Amino acid sequence: MAAVNNVFLDKQEYGKDKVRLLKVHKTTKIHRVDDLTIRCLLSGAEFTTSYTEASNKRVVATDSIKNTCYILAKSSKVVDTLELFAAELANHFLNTYDWVEGAHVTIIRHRWARMNIDGKPHNHSFWRDGEETRQTDLFVKRGANGLRNVVALKSAIAGLLVLKTTGSSFEDFVRDEYTTLPETKDRILSTCVDSTWEFNVPAVKTEHFASHLAQIPFNNIYDSVRDVTCKTFAEDESASVQATLYKMAAQSIRNWKWLDRVSYALPNKHFFAVDLNYFRGTKNLQEHADVYQPVADPSGLITATVARAPGSHARL
Ligand SMILES: O=c1[nH]c(=O)c2[nH]c(=O)[nH]c2[nH]1
């Protein structure tokens, strides 16, 4: 990249963000919905002059990028599998505009759970059962000789708020002049789970791109990571957020050969037992605790990525 007056364009990506889209699947009278927020960003050397020389000759309008999301959602058979719909969008931009070198698609799916009315699942009515979202982030580059290189394919759960009322301790940590926290054998554990799992996808020929990705059971993997997260959270006799996090991540890597790395970011949302001793000697600490004060800020924040050991294989 040539420098002009000592500066050069180092990186660029542009496109449409926050494209809101609701697809209703009406193949039977039991409707299903996918409520999505999409970001599509394009990149490539030929976009350079749009930044450096004010030339729009190669610029696909972000408005057209937005339109493309709706047009593909109309024809697509895979909107309910975020990873495959992201791949369809990315592939579309790479196939349609031969100067596009990279397509970066992020999709967030918002929850709509089916209503139960008079004890029966309703055909076409839904409610928002929490702010948790499912997400995917796909970055595909045009490779040499008609290859599609998946630079990154990651999926995630964000904002899954959980709480358990026992089965969590925190003991034996550093005690020094800075320490006020008492050790506890029994505390409330609550966190808002962000978990990301990264897929290993080899470069494939353009014509095999969609079918290759379609072999990966993305929806089952999402369901499974979510189940492992909840089951481990509920059943682990937690010694710390760190130890419980590691069990969650390791289990999903062992479960799925397509996953190379699983990350968690777990805020430790504190609930402290309220000292009621001042009121007639009321006991509410340690084993007597049942009235707690949720503390919004600050929270702990425990993060880690667990990776598959090189050369090892998944248990299938
Ligand atoms: O699970 C925990 N991990 C910590 O590192 C920590 N630190 C703290 O004050 N409470 C906790 N809890």
Side-chain angles (χ1 to χ4, degrees), residues 18-315:
K18 299 191 169 72
V19 178
R20 296 283 292 115
L21 184 163
L22 182 81
K23 170 98 180 198
V24 183
H25 303 272
K26 299 182 176 178
T27 41
T28 71
K29 68 181 188 351
I30 304 171
H31 291 179
R32 292 180 298 111
V33 291
D34 285 307
D35 182 347
L36 308 181
T37 300
I38 304 175
R39 171 192 288 187
C40 282
L41 303 178
L42 308 181
S43 53
E46 296 204 19
F47 295 115
T48 305
T49 52
S50 70
Y51 297 86
T52 59
E53 294 170 28
S55 165
N56 292 334
K57 287 275 177 293
R58 290 303 213 184
V59 175
V60 180
T62 68
D63 192 62
S64 313
I65 295 173
K66 176 257 298 170
N67 292 345
T68 305
C69 294
Y70 294 115
I71 292 166
L72 265 64
K74 183 74 189 167
S75 59
S76 176
K77 300 278 179 281
V78 292
V79 178
D80 66 347
T81 307
L82 301 192
E83 294 84 351
L84 296 182
F85 187 47
E88 246 178 41
L89 282 161
N91 219 16
H92 169 89
F93 292 112
L94 290 162
N95 289 344
T96 308
Y97 309 105
D98 62 12
W99 61 94
V100 172
E101 291 169 28
H104 189 173
V105 181
T106 309
I107 306 182
I108 301 170
R109 193 180 69 186
H110 310 279
R111 280 181 88 79
W112 287 114
R114 192 172 298 283
M115 276 190 187
N116 265 324
I117 301 295
D118 297 332
K120 285 202 295 261
H122 197 267
N123 284 350
H124 53 255
S125 298
F126 304 84
W127 66 292
R128 172 73 38 94
D129 63 339
E131 293 311 311
E132 174 195 349
T133 56
R134 172 176 170 180
Q135 310 194 356
T136 200
D137 187 83
L138 170 68
F139 184 36
V140 189
K141 273 194 158 176
R142 187 188 301 286
N145 308 320
L147 285 181
R148 290 281 175 269
N149 284 327
V150 174
V151 180
L153 175 53
K154 304 179 199 179
S155 294
I157 294 167
L160 169 61
L161 187 56
V162 291
L163 174 145
K164 67 194 277 188
T165 51
T166 190
S168 166
S169 60
F170 188 60
E171 297 178 290
D172 204 23
F173 50 87
V174 174
R175 294 213 82 80
D176 61 13
E177 59 192 325
Y178 297 99
T179 313
T180 55
L181 185 74
E183 303 209 342
T184 178
K185 291 191 184 317
D186 188 18
R187 63 175 183 174
I188 290 196
L189 186 60
S190 177
T191 187
C192 190
V193 177
D194 281 352
S195 174
T196 303
W197 49 102
E198 299 175 34
F199 294 91
N200 46 43
V201 184
V204 283
K205 287 264 181 213
T206 301
E207 58 272 29
H208 300 139
F209 183 62
S211 59
H212 182 79
L213 283 181
Q215 295 169 34
I216 304 177
F218 292 108
N219 290 345
N220 294 346
I221 293 174
Y222 161 77
D223 288 340
S224 158
V225 174
R226 191 173 185 282
D227 285 352
V228 164
T229 300
C230 292
K231 189 173 161 64
T232 310
F233 177 81
E235 293 182 352
D236 186 37
E237 284 298 324
S238 175
S240 65
V241 176
Q242 288 88 331
T244 302
L245 179 161
Y246 185 79
K247 290 179 191 174
M248 292 173 175
Q251 184 64 51
S252 288
I253 291 183
R254 293 195 186 104
N255 283 351
W256 297 101
K257 66 176 178 179
W258 289 276
L259 303 187
D260 273 352
R261 296 158 68 79
V262 175
S263 306
Y264 280 84
L266 300 179
N268 188 2
K269 298 175 88 64
H270 303 300
F271 288 69
F272 293 122
V274 184
D275 187 350
L276 298 176
N277 190 48
Y278 67 88
F279 185 74
R280 301 177 188 165
T282 307
K283 290 188 165 46
N284 192 55
L285 297 180
Q286 300 290 2
E287 70 272 24
H288 303 288
D290 61 1
V291 175
Y292 298 83
Q293 182 181 23
V295 177
D297 303 312
S299 66
L301 180 61
I302 315 298
T303 71
T305 298
V306 178
R308 182 180 307 288
S312 64
H313 297 286
R315 191 194 70 214

